[in-house]
Amino acid sequence: MSLQPDVLWAQRSDYIYVTIDLKDVQDMSVSLEADNVAFSGKVGGDLYKCDLKWFRPIKKEESKWSHKRLIEFCLKKETEEEWPRLREEKVKVQWIKVDWKRWQDSDDEAEAAPFDTSGMGDMNFGDMDGDEFDSDDEELPDLDPGAAVGDAGDKESPEEAKGEGPKTTQKDNELESID
């Protein structure tokens, strides 16, 4: 039995951008047609398959795809119109998701740049979004497990603030005596 990969999509008035969210695919097979795409491939020994019948036809000859990192498609729409969904079927499925990084509202299209397909002649999408900041890239401060923040935002206990020193418990004393 095969597994269903996640599919991300975004659109402009003249293009659809589709990503099959799998990395390091082996034994890949892709059949792109004007009205559908069929994909299959193995990741870590598991077989994944995806068959999509497009909402409207695309221009296969003017469409491109890449499999450098992920399987990505830039599909030229046959007619310039907004698609309400990616597939012909009206049934929503949990494995098709909006690609919010690439999504553009029709109101904003006049000021938006089209999909960057400059590197797609050799099916290379590697230059897209390369400098984008990722929230997990930011440096986090080291945490001091001994410092607790009080109600006033200070790191002292009430006893330390009065000059009495840190409060110790019987358990703390027992631990010190074990050493």
Side-chain angles (χ1 to χ4, degrees):
M1 185 170 152
S2 62
L3 301 172
Q4 180 68 54
D6 285 340
V7 174
L8 305 171
W9 79 290
Q11 70 175 317
R12 300 287 189 276
S13 62
D14 54 347
Y15 280 94
I16 293 290
Y17 190 86
V18 177
T19 302
I20 297 176
D21 195 13
L22 291 174
K23 297 175 185 168
D24 303 322
V25 179
Q26 304 293 317
D27 302 329
M28 182 171 48
S29 171
V30 175
S31 173
L32 178 62
E33 299 298 329
D35 62 344
N36 72 337
V37 66
F39 162 83
S40 69
K42 289 184 179 179
V43 176
D46 294 324
L47 178 64
Y48 287 84
K49 286 187 177 182
C50 177
D51 294 308
L52 294 171
K53 185 162 174 81
W54 306 128
F55 175 74
R56 295 273 190 259
I58 60 157
K59 293 182 179 180
K60 178 182 173 182
E61 301 78 29
E62 296 180 43
S63 299
K64 300 176 183 184
W65 70 282
S66 169
H67 63 279
K68 288 276 186 178
R69 184 169 170 249
L70 301 169
I71 298 91
E72 299 175 303
F73 300 86
C74 187
L75 309 169
K76 176 74 171 166
K77 293 180 182 178
E78 197 169 276
T79 57
E80 289 193 23
E81 64 178 314
E82 185 173 320
W83 290 8
R85 59 190 176 276
L86 180 62
R87 300 184 322 153
E88 182 181 62
E89 297 176 35
K90 289 185 178 182
V91 177
K92 281 192 171 188
V93 290
Q94 66 183 9
W95 48 271
I96 296 180
K97 303 169 183 177
V98 173
D99 189 346
W100 293 112
K101 287 186 195 175
R102 293 182 173 89
W103 190 265
Q104 188 68 49
D105 289 328
S106 58
D107 297 342
D108 301 331
E109 263 191 48
E111 59 197 51
F115 293 123
D116 180 9
T117 59
S118 60
M120 291 188 77
D122 60 354
M123 298 190 306
N124 178 8
F125 275 87
D127 298 332
M128 293 182 71
D129 296 323
D131 295 331
E132 203 168 293
F133 177 76
D134 188 4
S135 65
D136 4 350
D137 293 342
E138 69 184 60
E139 291 292 324
L140 295 176
D142 290 333
L143 298 177
D144 181 6
V149 178
D151 292 337
D154 57 353
K155 291 186 178 182
E156 296 180 327
S157 68
E159 291 80 13
E160 288 174 318
K162 293 179 187 174
E164 299 172 7
K167 187 175 183 178
T168 59
T169 64
Q170 179 64 29
K171 195 172 197 175
D172 291 334
N173 292 334
E174 290 173 10
L175 290 175
E176 289 176 13
S177 64
I178 293 174
D179 292 342

